[in-house]
Amino acid sequence: MRIFEEDLEHLLSDLFASPIRPRSESPVGQITQPASDPIAALDALQARLLDETNVKASGGALPGDRHDTTASTNVKICLESSVPEDSGATVTELHNIIQRLKAAVEAAEEAIPSTSKDRKLIAPIPLGLASPDEWETLFQTSIDLGDRTSAKLVLDLMRRSGMSVDATWDDRLLFSYVYANDVAGVDQYIQEVRAGGALPTDAQRHMHIQVLVNTRDLIKAQSLIHEYEAENLVPLEATYRTLMQALFSLPPTSPKTPRYRALAWDLFAHMRYVAYPIPSAETFTTMIHACANAISPSAERALDLFHEMTVERKIQPTVATYNAVILTCARTSKADFWHEALRLGSRLIEEHRLMKAETPEEVGAKTQMQPNLDTFKAMLEAAKRAGDLARARWILAELIHACIPVDEELMAHTFHVYATYRPPFKRSNLVVADSPIPTPSRAVSASSTDSEGPGSHSVSEFVGEPTLVPQTHGDILREADVLLERLPKVPWADVSYGVFSEVEITPNLLNAYLAVQCNHGPLPKAVDHFNSLYCTFRVKRNSQSYSTILDRLALAKGREARMTARALAEPIWNNFLKLNDKLDAQLNANRPDANVSWRRIESIWAKMIHVVSKADDTDRGIALVKEFHKRYPPTAVLPPAPAPVSPAEDPLTNLRLPSTSFPTRASLVAKQPLVRLTSNTQIQDNSITPFLSFDDVETLHHRLVIKSQIGTAAEKASKIKDLRYLTWMCHSYMGHLKRRKEWALRRAKK
């Protein structure tokens, strides 16, 4: 019986919903209703089997025991070796019942006349050893205890005792192997199915690939898909989608991420070419969301897929689809796509508001199209890049009116909107009057703005009707402080809003608040927040924290401000060096955090060099350059090993279209994607260690050029020597980068 995709997802939903499940629940769809109390049912079954045994054998031995007592002992040892040691008395009781059932079945099989040519060809006679509900309880309890050997034996005894077994039970047993990530068990199960003369069903093939995805053996999973295709056993679309989602799920900083993303896009094109030319809404959504999470988000590709889905294929988009296309447009670097993201978000909110809800079907359709938290996050991504504070306040008001709890990611986006917002008021445009103005306007009166209390721009104002956006930097800082005070676990605040009660204080949230202070507040105050904020909330700083504050120090204007920034940067830099060692270890071990990358570390070093160079401290700048050169030598930019990477580690090393020439017949079968959307030369390389280019040290170079022309002869010679070292170092990094590029091109063409 063919199991369709919807049935498969229903079967899997219960299995993978929770790692711990009550014994009365089934990991997949149930055939019969199990007993409400499995323990009581097992006790009753064991008592009945004991009574029957006592009747048949006065000595208490089972019918099968008189022939071979060793067999029962071997079964017990085999069963006990497949379950945890701390499972309790239930395991012993379960094994006792299975042994007695096995002995009864063997005794019945031995009763078949020996003159039969083949006992296996004789249909088993229903023995009535247990009721269907008792078999169900026995089977389900074995699965819940993780005793897959016992569950497999229960199915075998059911068939041998004449009980009809639905095919779904076999799938449930296979799902238990997948749930435990038992690759060997799943492989053995599939081999047994083939040995019985049958082919794996759609669900079994999906589970065969799913267990490889769960264990992150993605290349083997891809090869297995192509092997099934070669047998004309096309996997389900959900199978392709599961593998593509796993390929897209690698962290952005992983060295394998660019190549695995390219492989996922190739698999998408291959799937449409050989199996499913019109993908489902879920698959379209997966690929559109992949456009947003790419190293360089592609709004054009996302909008093309969205247009094909909604206009050409007439497929109804879901809220997840809208969220994916909005997020992709919001993460690009072009303002046109930011406005497109906000337009799509507003369209979704308005369409949901106008949908009717008179019948149950309409109510269900409206509920499915209701904007969720991800919708507002995606819209805030666009608002923060556009610096549109008015739109961000409207988005926050809509979210609060919908009673959707706010999380730390959304609050971080909100603070970033305040950080990028540019107030319209400028002191240079203020007209000084000869006489005082009786009723000063809030838009042009700085004294009126400064006299307003912290609660004048509280959250309660802009969750209702929109009010005037902040007009000065002071207004922005006060609103940001009010928002921070509404969050829980703020020591100096006594209240918190209901929708903000679930917000956790994380490093990224504090980094966003710090960005507001850096962009709109004075430099000393921003540094004070950096030094005290994370300690107050007992949160560790990450690389983004140091990048934010060094950005602000590098923007200091005026000689005095630059000297102050230089003095404030030294203790910050000393703390970062301690973190730098940990980040290097993580990146070298290929297990970095989400916010850590070689490019982030490289930019932090460049910012510190820029800070000391603007303060005219060229000696300190050269010292930093030499320290960077020692930590990350130019030779580290070269490939880690000259030998080519094996296909098992690099999925795209030998991946290219088969060479065919007319009149050779084109083959639609190959153990690789037949259609590629990304060539090897287009795959980005994010495993390059930090390096310094001339743009990173340009300020230091200019200062050295000036100083090499003034002062004593010894001072001039020293600066010229530093200039030559700086020039050599930049050329060394660029030369090694060129060699790495040439290596990558040769590797791609192989």
Side-chain angles (χ1 to χ4, degrees):
M1 180 182 68
R2 182 180 178 86
I3 299 179
F4 294 95
E5 182 177 343
E6 294 80 3
D7 300 330
L8 176 64
E9 293 180 355
H10 174 71
L11 293 176
L12 297 180
S13 59
D14 293 336
L15 175 64
F16 298 104
S18 174
I20 301 177
R21 179 188 305 106
R23 292 175 179 172
S24 60
E25 296 182 6
S26 173
V28 293
Q30 298 175 354
I31 302 174
T32 57
Q33 182 66 28
S36 57
D37 188 358
I39 304 300
L42 293 178
D43 291 340
L45 179 60
Q46 185 179 28
R48 183 162 55 81
L49 290 175
L50 286 173
D51 293 341
E52 293 177 358
T53 303
N54 293 333
V55 172
K56 293 182 179 180
S58 58
L62 292 172
D65 293 343
R66 65 179 183 271
H67 298 283
D68 189 3
T69 57
T70 308
S72 176
T73 305
N74 292 338
V75 171
K76 183 176 181 181
I77 294 174
C78 178
L79 293 177
E80 290 179 349
S81 63
S82 62
V83 296
E85 298 179 357
D86 57 349
S87 298
T90 306
V91 176
T92 304
E93 182 180 0
L94 179 69
H95 292 171
N96 290 335
I97 295 173
I98 293 176
Q99 291 180 57
R100 294 183 181 278
L101 289 173
K102 183 176 184 295
V105 171
E106 290 176 348
E109 291 176 344
E110 292 178 359
I112 298 176
S114 58
T115 58
S116 302
K117 295 182 179 180
D118 193 349
R119 294 184 179 184
K120 295 182 179 180
L121 300 178
I122 301 177
I125 301 175
L127 302 179
L129 297 176
S131 66
D133 288 345
E134 290 173 336
W135 284 112
E136 164 72 16
T137 302
L138 200 61
F139 177 72
Q140 185 59 52
T141 303
S142 301
I143 290 180
D144 290 340
L145 291 175
D147 191 354
R148 296 177 294 280
T149 303
S150 295
K152 188 176 182 179
L153 184 56
V154 167
L155 289 181
D156 180 63
L157 294 176
M158 288 180 65
R159 291 188 172 93
R160 292 164 61 183
S161 65
M163 287 291 298
S164 60
V165 180
D166 193 279
T168 312
W169 287 43
D170 293 304
D171 293 337
R172 291 165 62 185
L173 176 60
L174 180 59
F175 296 157
S176 66
Y177 282 98
V178 177
Y179 178 80
N181 293 334
D182 188 355
V183 178
V186 175
D187 290 339
Q188 182 181 0
Y189 186 94
I190 298 298
Q191 291 176 2
E192 292 175 357
V193 171
R194 291 182 180 274
L199 293 175
T201 63
D202 290 345
Q204 291 169 351
R205 296 197 299 272
H206 180 88
M207 290 294 96
H208 195 189
I209 297 169
Q210 179 71 58
V211 70
L212 296 175
V213 172
N214 292 348
T215 56
R216 310 305 296 175
D217 195 351
L218 304 182
I219 305 306
K220 187 176 180 180
Q222 180 219 2
S223 301
L224 186 58
I225 283 181
H226 297 316
E227 290 177 5
Y228 278 128
E229 291 173 347
E231 298 182 61
N232 201 22
L233 299 176
V234 179
L236 295 171
E237 183 179 352
T239 306
Y240 288 98
R241 185 170 62 249
T242 298
L243 180 55
M244 288 187 290
Q245 290 173 345
L247 291 169
F248 284 131
S249 65
L250 270 70
T253 54
S254 174
K256 297 181 180 179
T257 297
R259 307 186 71 80
Y260 274 47
R261 289 183 181 275
L263 181 61
W265 281 105
D266 294 344
L267 188 62
F268 173 67
H270 171 83
M271 179 199 73
R272 301 190 66 176
Y273 185 63
V274 302
Y276 303 98
I278 303 178
S280 63
E282 292 78 7
T283 304
F284 269 118
T285 302
T286 298
M287 306 314 295
I288 293 174
H289 196 273
C291 297
N293 292 333
I295 299 176
S296 299
S298 177
E300 294 88 348
R301 173 178 278 181
L303 291 174
D304 286 344
L305 289 172
F306 186 72
H307 181 271
E308 179 187 359
M309 173 184 175
T310 57
V311 178
E312 298 179 10
R313 306 300 182 184
K314 307 296 182 183
I315 300 176
Q316 178 64 32
T318 62
V319 175
T321 308
Y322 272 104
N323 295 346
V325 69
I326 293 171
L327 184 62
T328 306
C329 293
R331 287 183 174 178
T332 57
S333 58
K334 297 180 180 180
D336 293 341
F337 292 119
W338 303 340
H339 300 305
E340 180 66 14
L342 295 173
R343 185 191 68 82
L344 288 172
S346 302
R347 168 182 159 187
L348 175 61
I349 295 173
E350 189 63 23
E351 287 182 355
H352 174 264
R353 184 175 293 136
L354 297 177
M355 291 179 69
K356 296 181 180 180
E358 298 176 356
T359 63
E361 292 77 9
E362 293 177 347
V363 172
K366 185 172 183 178
T367 302
Q368 292 179 357
M369 292 301 296
Q370 182 177 3
N372 53 27
L373 186 62
D374 291 335
T375 308
F376 296 104
K377 287 181 183 178
M379 295 179 68
L380 281 174
E381 285 259 14
K384 76 179 184 182
R385 285 174 171 80
D388 192 347
L389 182 56
R391 184 65 66 94
R393 289 156 63 104
W394 172 80
I395 293 171
L396 191 60
E398 289 286 337
L399 187 143
I400 295 176
H401 286 160
C403 298
I404 300 177
V406 179
D407 65 357
E408 59 276 4
E409 184 180 356
L410 186 137
M411 287 305 301
H413 291 331
T414 304
F415 282 128
H416 279 137
V417 177
Y418 280 91
T420 58
Y421 173 69
R422 292 293 174 261
F425 176 79
K426 296 181 180 179
R427 287 187 180 273
S428 59
N429 297 337
L430 183 63
V431 178
V432 180
D434 296 336
S435 59
I437 302 176
T439 56
S441 172
R442 182 178 179 273
V444 296
S445 176
S447 60
S448 174
T449 301
D450 296 337
S451 63
E452 293 173 352
S456 60
H457 300 292
S458 63
V459 177
S460 60
E461 285 188 47
F462 57 85
V463 296
E465 294 297 328
T467 58
L468 188 64
V469 294
Q471 300 296 299
T472 65
H473 293 287
D475 292 344
I476 296 173
L477 293 175
R478 275 188 286 272
E479 278 200 8
D481 291 340
V482 170
L483 275 177
L484 185 66
E485 291 174 358
R486 302 305 178 193
L487 305 182
K489 300 180 182 179
V490 177
W492 59 84
D494 299 330
V495 295
S496 64
Y497 269 73
V499 293
F500 301 105
S501 58
E502 299 182 5
V503 177
E504 296 183 3
I505 306 299
T506 61
N508 291 335
L509 177 59
L510 296 182
N511 292 342
Y513 176 76
L514 178 64
V516 180
Q517 300 294 331
C518 290
N519 289 3
H520 299 285
L523 178 58
K525 185 178 179 181
V527 175
D528 290 342
H529 276 88
F530 175 83
N531 293 329
S532 61
L533 192 64
Y534 299 89
C535 298
T536 302
F537 290 98
R538 298 181 180 179
V539 174
K540 293 183 178 180
R541 304 180 183 94
N542 56 21
S543 59
Q544 180 61 39
S545 309
Y546 291 95
S547 179
T548 301
I549 192 62
L550 287 175
D551 260 332
R552 178 64 181 90
L553 293 171
L555 294 176
K557 297 181 180 180
R559 180 174 178 81
E560 294 183 1
R562 291 171 179 174
M563 298 301 294
T564 303
R566 162 72 176 82
L568 295 173
E570 278 302 326
I572 296 174
W573 182 251
N574 293 332
N575 292 331
F576 170 74
L577 290 179
K578 300 176 183 178
L579 177 64
N580 198 174
D581 297 333
K582 299 179 181 178
L583 300 181
D584 289 345
Q586 293 178 6
L587 288 166
N588 289 324
N590 292 331
R591 50 180 181 83
D593 295 334
N595 293 327
V596 181
S597 66
W598 289 125
R599 305 285 75 77
R600 172 68 58 78
I601 295 176
E602 171 189 302
S603 66
I604 293 176
W605 278 84
K607 291 169 186 176
M608 184 60 186
I609 295 173
H610 190 64
V611 169
V612 298
S613 300
K614 291 183 67 174
D616 228 15
D617 192 351
T618 56
D619 293 337
R620 176 58 175 156
I622 288 294
L624 287 171
V625 170
K626 290 182 178 179
E627 185 178 357
F628 180 90
H629 180 268
K630 181 179 179 181
R631 186 184 289 260
Y632 309 106
T635 54
V637 175
L638 294 176
V645 185
S646 64
E649 299 177 357
D650 191 348
L652 300 178
T653 299
N654 299 319
L655 193 58
R656 55 185 182 275
L657 292 176
S659 58
T660 58
S661 59
F662 294 105
T664 305
R665 189 178 69 175
S667 175
L668 298 181
V669 178
K671 293 186 178 181
Q672 65 179 34
L674 298 178
V675 181
R676 297 202 60 192
L677 295 181
T678 308
S679 65
N680 289 343
T681 56
Q682 294 175 328
I683 300 173
Q684 300 180 1
D685 187 0
N686 66 342
S687 61
I688 302 176
T689 56
F691 62 91
L692 291 177
S693 63
F694 181 76
D695 293 338
D696 298 325
V697 297
E698 184 178 4
T699 304
L700 177 60
H701 185 273
H702 290 173
R703 295 296 191 274
L704 288 173
V705 170
I706 295 174
K707 288 191 174 184
S708 65
Q709 300 175 0
I710 58 177
T712 63
E715 292 175 348
K716 291 180 181 180
S718 175
K719 301 306 176 185
I720 292 175
K721 182 179 178 181
D722 292 340
L723 271 173
R724 291 174 177 173
Y725 170 78
L726 195 63
T727 304
W728 168 83
M729 188 207 65
C730 292
H731 282 292
S732 179
Y733 279 116
M734 293 303 104
H736 286 83
L737 279 174
K738 183 179 179 181
R739 291 177 58 187
R740 186 184 181 101
K741 182 179 180 180
E742 293 173 351
W743 168 83
L745 290 175
R746 290 195 304 268
R747 179 189 183 195
K749 294 178 181 179
K750 288 183 179 180

